[in-house]
Amino acid sequence: MKDGSSRRRFRRIAIGAAVVVALAAMNGPALYRFGSEQYHEYKINKPEYKAANGKWDIIEFPAEFKQNTIHAALLHTGKILLVAGSGNDQQNFDDKKFDTRLWDPVKNTIKKIPTPKDLFCTGHTQLSNGNLLIAGGTKRYEKLKGDVTKAGGLMVVHNENPDKPITLPAGTKFTGKTNGNTFTSKDPVVVERAEKVFDPDTGEFLRNDPGLGRIYVEAQKSGAQYETGTQDNYRVQGLSGADARNTYGMAEKLALDKKDFQGIRDAFEFDPVAEKYIQVDPMKEARWYPTLTTLSDGKVLSLSGLDEIGQLVPGKNEVFDPETRTWEYTEGIRQFPTYPAISLMQNGKLFYSGSNAGYGPDDVGRDPGIWDLETNKFRKLPGMSDPKLLETSGTVLLPPAQDEKYMVIGGGGVGESQESSKKTRIVDLQADDPKFVDGPELEKGTRYPQSSILPDDTVLVSGGSEDYRGRGGSNIHQARLYDPKANSFRKVADPLVGRNYHSGSLLLPDGRVMFFGSDSLYADKANTKPGVFEQRIEMYTPPYLYRDSRPSLSGGPKTVERGASAKFTSQQASTLKTARLIRPSASTHVTDVDQRSIALDMKKSKDSITVTVPESRNLVESGWYMLFVTDADGTPSKAQWVKVP
């Protein structure tokens, strides 16, 4: 009996083992994957790993507060403005559903903000009074070629009357003199009076240069028979007498081609204290995908973008005066692709890195260089590697800002190109003969890289995708810390969420970095499923926040003049090494020209420090800043908010 029982028990064990082996063979990959994921989770949460690499955490908003965040800005209240507008969702646009959220990351409270216009693909920058200037947005979504049923396009209206402008209402009809087709305007247009031109030597009258107005027109009926193939002059119906003689339209091809997004002229300030949008005078030009850049006098330059008829704004740049809240054109014409990365230099000129986010000819305005706005002269800078792969590249002013060194990161080919660059390029604008030199390479070609300056003078570079909008499952789940002194990258913890188009990052006052957005074209590697907008927020806690302690910083004035000094309390004053003023970010479409970290002179006593703000207005632009101090290990304090008037 004993031997028979043993044999049966052995048989059961053998059968059970065979079943386990069979199940393992069937489910091996899943079991391995489960085990790998469990081990990875264990590894990244170990204290020593976080102290060396940092940690990523996903923040889920309640369902009623989720949105497709396109733009984000850190406000001097410590809250974050998250702007979606219609969120790249045409149904939201058609329903006039425009969203903004105001998030307090300390209290974790979220507030819905009434949004007056579609601030999708707008421009923004921090103003000296602490408000956020927001200008431009969406008037009409693009129409792909197959969806266009009525021939249409750009009509340039000429006014040869030097005595008065002329206004044509929406619905004005233009009939071709050669083709005989009639097209109708979608919006009103004001055409300025003609300009009289005289001989500069004799004073003799030479001619009238007509005033010009641009407007979108489309055929009255659907069908390919209403397309035009060549330029034609157009009679304006409803005019008589001198107006009929002096006013006419000219158009090139009016066709069933794809129609690009159209911009709006509307502009607002967001008041962080009142927590609402305040309308200001509209821009002279409608703009979709514009860049806003602060100038030496505190005014704001608005440039590029697609206009109200979906055409690239023809080099007409304008300036916002925060005192009068009005706009004026700049002298001269200079054209750039949309969302150009243009920053104020310490000599008052403007640096264009070549980075941009898309629309525009591939042979106009793409060369990096230095732009003198007063004379409208532009000096190209040599040495850029992968010069044809600058679209969707990132640009960052390396810390400290006084060194005036910029890094251009990655990038891709124009439009929906599959090409991307591994290059980083660095230019020293204080050199006698500035030129780009290559920095350390990225592991992969990277479009849409995010870069955030940290208080310890390193730069966090994360995310992006190898292909256009993450196509082919090409999101890059990698993060690196760049050290400007060593000119090298160091690998840190990998982000949990892929980020490509319509994503961004912000440094927070507690030293963490917030990431938002991502708008993949497809949701799978085979490019068969449509992408879903990434609504989750992700927070990166750098290694420096996993050290045993961090220096304290408190007290001090809320306002410090340029060239002036201010005293702050710190119990660790004797161990402090650096003090930095970091301008709060306003980020979208791989564009954040506000970001800069300024080194401050610092004197230490037993329990306090005295810092001095540099005198240069071009270096220290007016507005609110985060003041950080760091110890000898690079561990930062929490920031104190300081205003430089």
Side-chain angles (χ1 to χ4, degrees), residues 162-227:
D163 297 322
K164 67 173 185 178
I166 189 165
T167 300
L168 301 179
T172 297
K173 293 179 172 56
F174 298 82
T175 301
K177 291 185 177 180
T178 301
N179 60 52
N181 293 339
T182 297
F183 296 84
T184 303
S185 65
K186 303 297 290 182
D187 296 286
V189 61
V190 177
V191 189
E192 296 299 329
R193 70 189 70 195
E195 181 180 353
K196 295 181 179 180
V197 179
F198 299 90
D199 186 298
D201 296 323
T202 66
E204 178 186 358
F205 173 77
L206 299 177
R207 65 184 183 277
N208 287 330
D209 282 350
L212 303 177
R214 294 153 51 89
I215 196 166
Y216 181 82
V217 299
E218 68 178 19
Q220 294 178 294
K221 296 180 180 180
S222 300
Q225 65 269 33
Y226 298 105
E227 289 188 295

Side-chain angles (χ1 to χ4, degrees), residues 358-420:
Y359 296 83
D362 60 5
D363 58 350
V364 177
R366 292 182 180 264
D367 294 313
I370 295 173
W371 180 24
D372 186 329
L373 189 61
E374 291 186 3
T375 64
N376 199 32
K377 291 182 179 179
F378 188 89
R379 177 162 66 100
K380 296 179 183 179
L381 294 178
M384 176 67 73
S385 58
D386 286 351
K388 301 296 185 183
L389 302 181
L390 291 178
E391 193 161 291
T392 66
S393 63
T395 296
V396 60
L397 173 57
L398 296 174
Q402 281 93 331
D403 292 349
E404 206 158 29
K405 292 182 179 179
Y406 283 83
M407 174 183 273
V408 178
I409 307 167
V414 174
E416 299 187 14
S417 167
Q418 292 181 318
E419 291 185 280
S420 57

Side-chain angles (χ1 to χ4, degrees), residues 475-581:
N475 282 345
I476 300 169
H477 289 76
Q478 293 181 347
R480 301 285 188 272
L481 286 176
Y482 174 74
D483 182 347
K485 291 182 179 178
N487 190 28
S488 63
F489 280 116
R490 178 170 74 84
K491 187 180 185 299
V492 291
D494 295 331
L496 304 173
V497 179
R499 307 281 177 183
N500 53 71
Y501 182 55
H502 285 153
S503 64
S505 62
L506 307 174
L507 172 69
L508 303 188
D510 62 7
R512 296 180 299 164
V513 183
M514 185 203 87
F515 288 76
F516 66 92
S518 191
D519 197 358
S520 295
L521 201 59
Y522 298 101
D524 63 335
K525 288 186 177 181
N527 296 333
T528 60
K529 299 177 182 178
V532 177
F533 199 102
E534 179 56 68
Q535 296 185 326
R536 293 174 295 175
I537 301 292
E538 193 170 17
M539 200 72 73
Y540 177 67
T541 304
Y544 54 51
L545 293 182
Y546 288 102
R547 294 169 188 156
D548 291 337
S549 62
R550 63 191 302 183
S552 62
L553 187 68
S554 61
K558 290 298 182 185
T559 301
V560 184
E561 299 278 349
R562 290 181 196 82
S565 299
K567 186 176 181 180
F568 294 85
T569 300
S570 176
Q571 298 306 313
Q572 298 80 21
S574 62
T575 69
L576 298 182
K577 184 178 180 182
T578 69
R580 298 289 184 263
L581 279 183

Side-chain angles (χ1 to χ4, degrees), residues 553 557 560-561 563-568 576 578-581 599-604 608-614 627-629 642:
L553 187 68
V560 184
E561 299 278 349
S565 299
K567 186 176 181 180
F568 294 85
L576 298 182
T578 69
R580 298 289 184 263
L581 279 183
L600 305 184
D601 289 336
M602 178 175 62
K603 293 181 179 179
K604 299 181 287 187
S608 67
I609 60 166
T610 299
V611 296
T612 302
V613 177
L627 171 62
F628 289 95
V629 292
V642 175

